[in-house]
Amino acid sequence: MASDPIETRKSTEGMVDYNRNSSAQQQHAIMQADHIRRLVGKLSRVEPELRLVDYGCGPGMSAIETVRPAIEAYRAQFADAPIAVCHSDQSGNDWNALFELVSGPDGYLSGNGPPRVEAAIGSFYDRLVADNSVSLGTCFFASHWLSHAVRLDAPGTVLFNDLQGAARVQLAEMARRDWVTFLRHRVAELQSGGYLLVSALGSVPDAAEANGAAAAGRGIYRAMQVVAQSMADDGMLDGDVLNGFVFSLWFLTEAEASEAISGDPVLAAACEIDHLAVTPAPKNPDDLFKDEIGDPAEYARLYVGYTKAFADSTLRTQLFEPSAQTSEVADDLADEFYRRLDALYRAHTDTYACEIWHLTVALRRR
Ligand SMILES: C[S@@+](CC[C@H](N)C(=O)[O-])C[C@H]1O[C@@H](n2cnc3c(N)ncnc32)[C@H](O)[C@@H]1O
């Protein structure tokens, strides 16, 4: 079994039916609006233009809801000041879907003097825009994806939270390095006095967990592990492939997030922490789809849709395709996986509830 990370692929290859199945992300972007307005309110008029960059923007409405409050808050202070909005993501993002939304009735281009719109394509673990050019950077629900896909000695789990021993140490080190790399690039891109607002899934201390912390969404990943293991036991998935598979994700605790910043000489010198906290989601923090618990079929449908939206490409490239001879067989494996996941949620409902904690970090460039 592989025990060294194989750093070959992107950690995400695209999101499936994202706009329809990303209500949590859309709520989250709306929830950050006051925070965004507060930060924009601290900016002076920027010449020649205010530049907003949304990193890991995705293809959906949340990308619009992320920049809208910044545009409104800046326009409220400087009515005629030019604004540039830069949406940034990997090449595989559904850019057509995004720009249809941007220019559609719910977009932000109507009215006088609409912002100049641009895109920056690439990984946020690299430099994406010019140094000293960003007034406000945002990154929502994206920076918890690590820079590369990994394979580890990870029997019994598909989530970092349940890793043990050397595999956990290896992934924790990669997560710390990635977080620092991501921030170093963003801080270099910020103008002096500019802000970076990052919000991602987080973890909280929990003495009942083997590793002393509970990760957001642990229920969903444990449900996926149960389903994948049942398919391996039935000879449908390759057991070695499953034992080496782990999602390339890490949800930082408050301590991990802040110690990486204060312990890095470049970051400590270049920026100050304006805000850093891990907090429960304001709505249904203990079960994302709690409102539907009385209807197990609907509850399961929502959980399967949500899981597919963020996990399908990873499962396909790292679990189904390596277990299959042909792409048709990989498709059949995917269908069977989601059928079993649906059945699991119908039968056990909130045993696998998705709890949500958000890590929110605002940094100011000195
Ligand atoms: C769950 S979506 C979040 C989209 C949006 N920000 C939101 O809040 O709904 C995660 C996004 O992060 C992007 N992403 C993941 N890793 C990335 C990387 N290394 N560089 C740039 N974008 C990345 C994915 O392509 C995807 O669009």
Side-chain angles (χ1 to χ4, degrees), residues 342-365:
D342 186 87
L344 188 73
Y345 269 106
R346 281 178 194 238
H348 296 281
T349 57
D350 59 357
T351 305
Y352 298 103
C354 175
E355 305 141 288
I356 304 273
W357 294 282
H358 295 136
L359 164 71
T360 304
V361 180
L363 299 181
R364 179 180 179 277
R365 174 79 199 263

Side-chain angles (χ1 to χ4, degrees), residues 11-12 15 18 25 54-59 62 89-90 93 122-125 140-142 145:
S11 57
T12 52
M15 304 276 148
Y18 186 72
Q25 287 88 336
D54 184 30
Y55 301 95
C57 60
S62 43
D89 208 300
Q90 304 175 104
N93 189 43
S123 168
F124 51 49
Y125 291 106
F140 292 166
F141 262 80
W145 285 101

Side-chain angles (χ1 to χ4, degrees), residues 204-214 218:
V204 289
D206 182 344
E209 288 284 304
N211 288 302
R218 58 188 165 169

